[in-house]
């Protein structure tokens, strides 16, 4: 009997790529995280599409979206929303200095101490949720407020598992083990859908909250814990808050805990102003969540994959290489984002209509959501780039500067959100979001330049301008071609418009890159 042949080298390489214990390079890590984030966002889209189908856009869905506000805010306040980011830099440095025992001690203390603090915060918030939500969502009806409180209390315990799982994932990232942490979000979204499908007929929209609770435990937490245990990560409960590693982590995290970045606050601000308009919180959320797919793939995934390498370069005092790596990542990410924005803006209505319109979500809902999506898409490159610039600060051990700047920008932006909302209703909130993230990104760039970490001149401005011209021309031509299709609410019109716009856009982009002799494609191939 013939023995089975050994797998081909290429196949074996791919199998290693998807092994939890495989240590990734910067390129393979970026590819894996992009794949995982894309899958997570696709399932996230299915989650939102299911919610739109089953519950539409109205008072109940507004209450459901609003129920995430306090849990998200508590996680941001107590854990800084970026606890794992600050810990990656510390753990990576300790490991490179052969101080693994000290690294694991700090890891154990952080999880033990901060889980205790977060648990106390959750208990207090469970008790006072009605009073807090009554102030924040002042225009909710009594029924909406009651539902929002109920859903909030279901969702709050999830934050403990998000937090602990985030710290564990930081250790795995530091060891260049990206597979399991990258796929935690996939499980989270899957369980929200399963909760709705399995329990929706009995529990209504609360089934989604119970699904989110189960998904938070299994995805971001248990998946990472199992992966960490398999590679020998050590945890011993400890409250030795005098430990040097723990104190350094606290020092780095305090600015993130006390500061409020517009990146996190944007959703909270929009919910605050839109809570008196029936269905608008939901429609804004649908548009923003669809934008989250390209943001996650082009910004978040690359940011997660490159942070350990940024931190290593800075820790080894290779400042010029650090600067060049950050600038190169920003250029490629921003260039792709600009091209994607032009396509998204040109086909906003057919995309939103195909993605969401079914069940309780009608064509009128799709039209309004498409307007929000159009304006949100304008700032895709800014959302993607600012994440990389923020991580350049974190890799350099500086969390104070970006958070002070972010807090000032957020506070200064509130009058703008209010004015644009009163002038243009919910559409004004999307425009304010674009302006705010533009200012936020420009400030980060300026501060990095002044600190001589990432000089502005490091960006290939000539190449970036070629992409801007190409994206603008392609978007305008594609949008004009799309207007020749009468959008009458049929799927045929959606597909016809989307096909014409996409073909025109692709041809215009190809022509634009060729005419301008852009090096973007060559750069992407090399990187």
């Amino acid at each position: 009997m013939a023995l089975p042949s050994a797998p081909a080298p290429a196949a074996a390489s791919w199998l290693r790529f998807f092994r939890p214990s495989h240590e990734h390079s910067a390129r393979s890590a970026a590819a894996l995280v992009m794949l995982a984030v894309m899958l997570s966002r696709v399932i996230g889209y299915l989650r939102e599409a299911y919610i739109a189908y089953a519950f539409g856009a109205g008072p109940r869905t507004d209450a459901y979206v609003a129920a995430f506000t306090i849990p998200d805010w508590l996680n941001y306040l107590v854990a800084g929303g970026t606890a794992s980011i600050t810990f990656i830099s510390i753990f990576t440095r300790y490991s490179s200095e052969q101080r693994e025992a000290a690294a694991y001690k700090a890891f154990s203390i952080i999880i033990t101490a901060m889980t205790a603090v977060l648990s106390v915060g959750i208990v207090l918030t469970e008790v006072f949720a009605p009073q807090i939500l009554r102030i924040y969502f002042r225009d909710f009806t009594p029924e909406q407020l009651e539902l929002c409180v109920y859903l909030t209390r279901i969702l709050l315990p999830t934050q403990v598992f998000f937090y602990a799982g985030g710290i564990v994932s930081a250790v795995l990232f530091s060891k260049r083990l990206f597979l399991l942490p990258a796929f935690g979000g996939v499980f989270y979204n899957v369980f929200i859908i399963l909760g709705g499908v399995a329990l929706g007929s009995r529990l209504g929209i609360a089934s989604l909250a119970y699904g989110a609770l189960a998904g938070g435990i299994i995805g971001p937490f248990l998946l990472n814990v199992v992966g960490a245990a398999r590679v020998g990560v050590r945890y011993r409960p400890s409250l030795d808050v005098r430990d040097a590693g723990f104190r350094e982590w606290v020092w780095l995290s305090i600015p993130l805990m006390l500061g409020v970045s517009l990146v996190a606050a944007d959703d909270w601000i929009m919910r605050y102003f839109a809570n008196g308009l029936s269905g608008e919180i939901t429609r804004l959320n649908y548009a923003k969540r669809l934008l989250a797919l390209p943001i996650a793939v082009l910004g978040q995934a690359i940011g997660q994959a490159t942070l350990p390498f940024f931190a290593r370069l800075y820790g080894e005092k290779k400042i010029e290489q650090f600067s060049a790596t950050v600038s190169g990542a920003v250029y490629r990410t921003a260039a792709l984002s600009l091209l994607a924005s032009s396509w998204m803006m040109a086909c906003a209505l057919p995309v939103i209509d195909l993605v969401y319109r079914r069940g309780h979500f009608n064509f009128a809902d799709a039209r309004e959501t498409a307007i929000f999506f159009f304006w949100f898409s304008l700032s895709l490159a800014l959302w993607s780039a600012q994440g990389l610039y923020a991580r350049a600060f974190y890799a350099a051990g500086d969390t104070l500067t970006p958070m002070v700047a972010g807090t000032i920008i957020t506070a200064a932006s509130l009058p703008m959100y209010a004015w644009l909302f009163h002038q243009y209703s919910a559409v004004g909130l999307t425009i304010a979001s674009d302006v705010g993230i533009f200012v936020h990104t420009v400030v980060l760039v300026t501060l990095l330049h002044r600190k001589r970490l990432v000089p502005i001149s490091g960006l290939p401005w000539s190449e970036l301008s070629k992409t801007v011209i190409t994206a603008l021309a392609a978007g305008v031509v594609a949008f004009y071609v799309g207007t020749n299709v009468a959008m009458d609410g049929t799927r045929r019109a959606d597909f016809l418009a989307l096909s014409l716009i996409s073909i025109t856009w692709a041809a215009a982009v190809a022509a634009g890159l060729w005419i301008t002799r852009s090096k973007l494609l060559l750069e992407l191939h090399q990187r």
Side-chain angles (χ1 to χ4, degrees):
M1 180 177 177
L3 294 173
S5 58
S13 176
W14 276 103
L15 289 175
R16 287 197 300 271
F17 184 80
F18 288 103
R19 227 172 39 212
S21 58
H22 179 65
E23 292 188 14
H24 287 267
S25 66
R27 179 186 295 182
S28 65
L32 177 66
V33 177
M34 286 178 71
L35 175 65
V37 170
M38 183 179 294
L39 179 60
S40 177
R41 295 304 178 179
V42 167
I43 296 176
Y45 147 66
L46 295 176
R47 174 198 68 199
E48 299 299 327
Y50 169 75
I51 296 171
Y53 164 78
F55 302 102
R60 286 184 306 163
T61 52
D62 282 356
Y64 169 73
V65 174
F68 285 87
T69 303
I70 291 182
D72 289 347
W73 176 80
L74 182 64
N75 180 278
Y76 192 90
L77 177 65
V78 177
T82 48
S84 62
I85 290 177
T86 55
F87 188 62
I88 284 175
S89 299
I90 296 172
F91 196 92
T92 300
R93 190 180 74 251
Y94 276 26
S95 297
S96 65
E97 295 171 353
Q98 306 300 317
R99 299 167 58 196
E100 283 217 348
Y104 282 123
K105 182 179 180 181
F107 162 74
S108 299
I109 297 168
I110 290 169
I111 286 188
T112 307
M114 296 309 295
T115 298
V117 172
L118 187 56
S119 298
V120 172
I122 286 173
V123 171
L124 291 174
T125 311
E126 291 272 6
V127 173
F128 294 104
Q131 291 80 3
I132 299 171
L133 290 169
R134 189 176 295 114
I135 294 171
Y136 195 89
F137 297 105
R138 63 199 185 286
D139 294 325
F140 270 7
T141 64
E143 294 77 15
Q144 272 184 293
L145 187 63
E146 183 180 359
L147 176 60
C148 188
V149 170
Y150 175 55
L151 298 176
T152 297
R153 285 172 167 165
I154 297 172
L155 293 168
L156 276 168
T158 312
Q159 303 311 311
V160 172
F161 299 99
F162 272 123
Y163 169 74
I167 296 295
V168 176
S169 73
V171 176
L172 295 177
F173 279 143
S174 298
K175 291 179 172 291
R176 296 187 291 175
L177 306 175
F178 288 84
L179 182 70
L180 296 180
F183 282 89
V186 174
F187 283 82
Y188 175 68
N189 287 323
V190 165
F191 272 87
I192 293 178
I193 298 172
L194 291 177
V197 172
L199 303 173
S201 59
R202 285 186 291 169
L203 301 178
I205 203 165
S207 60
L208 303 174
Y210 283 111
L213 176 60
I217 295 171
I218 294 171
F221 179 69
L222 281 181
L223 197 65
N224 286 321
V225 168
V226 169
R230 291 186 62 181
V231 296
V233 173
R234 302 185 295 275
Y235 167 72
R236 292 183 180 178
S238 174
L239 287 172
D240 182 11
V241 294
R242 295 172 297 177
D243 176 73
F246 175 76
R247 290 191 172 192
E248 181 182 356
W249 177 84
V250 170
W251 179 253
L252 288 174
S253 298
I254 282 177
L256 301 180
M257 296 176 183
L258 300 181
V260 181
S261 168
L262 192 66
V263 175
D266 184 54
D267 285 344
W268 307 338
I269 296 170
M270 288 192 291
R271 290 172 194 170
Y272 173 80
F273 284 110
N275 77 92
L277 305 174
S278 180
E280 293 291 60
I281 290 180
T282 303
R283 284 184 281 268
L284 285 165
N285 182 68
Y286 287 152
K288 193 76 178 288
R289 296 290 75 78
L290 190 58
L291 180 71
L293 173 59
I295 289 176
V297 172
L298 295 172
Q300 179 185 339
I302 294 175
Q304 286 180 349
T306 54
L307 177 59
F309 300 95
F310 287 173
R312 189 173 298 275
L313 288 172
Y314 188 84
E316 294 172 353
K317 307 302 179 184
K318 298 177 180 178
I319 304 302
E320 288 188 9
Q321 191 175 348
F322 168 81
S323 302
T325 303
V326 174
S327 294
V330 169
Y331 159 63
R332 292 185 290 274
T333 302
L336 288 175
S337 298
L338 287 166
L339 295 174
S341 284
S342 66
W343 177 82
M344 290 158 58
M345 296 174 74
C347 60
L349 179 55
V351 164
I352 290 293
D353 200 46
L354 286 170
V355 164
Y356 287 123
R357 180 169 60 86
R358 54 187 55 84
H360 289 83
F361 193 87
N362 56 40
F363 188 62
D365 291 325
R367 278 188 177 277
E368 189 165 356
T369 305
I371 296 172
F372 299 154
F373 184 67
F374 176 91
W375 285 106
F376 280 139
S377 299
L378 183 63
S379 58
L380 173 60
L382 299 169
W383 282 100
S384 301
Q386 66 79 30
L388 291 169
Y389 281 128
R391 282 170 172 81
F393 274 111
Y394 302 152
D398 183 358
T399 56
L400 181 63
T401 300
M403 276 300 126
V404 169
T407 302
I408 293 172
I409 292 168
T410 301
S413 298
L414 292 175
M416 176 188 64
Y417 276 88
W419 184 79
L420 286 171
F421 173 69
H422 290 303
Q423 292 293 317
Y424 305 107
S425 191
V427 175
L429 296 176
T430 65
I431 299 172
S433 174
D434 291 337
V435 175
I437 200 64
F438 171 78
V439 174
H440 182 81
T441 305
V442 169
V443 169
L444 288 182
V445 171
T446 304
L447 292 172
L448 281 168
H449 176 79
R450 289 186 175 180
K451 286 180 171 289
R452 300 187 179 184
L453 290 172
V454 183
I456 295 175
S457 60
L459 274 177
W461 290 103
S462 175
E463 288 297 317
L464 197 57
S465 64
K466 294 175 183 179
T467 307
V468 171
I469 294 170
T470 299
L472 181 61
V476 170
V477 173
F479 182 82
Y480 176 76
V481 169
T483 58
N484 292 300
V485 179
M487 297 299 295
D488 54 7
T490 63
R491 298 299 186 194
R492 179 182 175 279
D494 289 338
F495 280 112
L496 179 59
L498 186 58
S499 299
L500 287 175
I501 290 170
S502 298
I503 293 171
T504 304
W505 174 85
V509 167
L513 294 178
W514 178 74
I515 292 171
T516 60
R517 297 186 179 182
S518 171
K519 298 177 182 177
L520 176 62
L521 297 181
L522 178 62
E523 181 78 9
L524 291 172
H525 175 72
Q526 291 175 340
R527 297 295 178 178

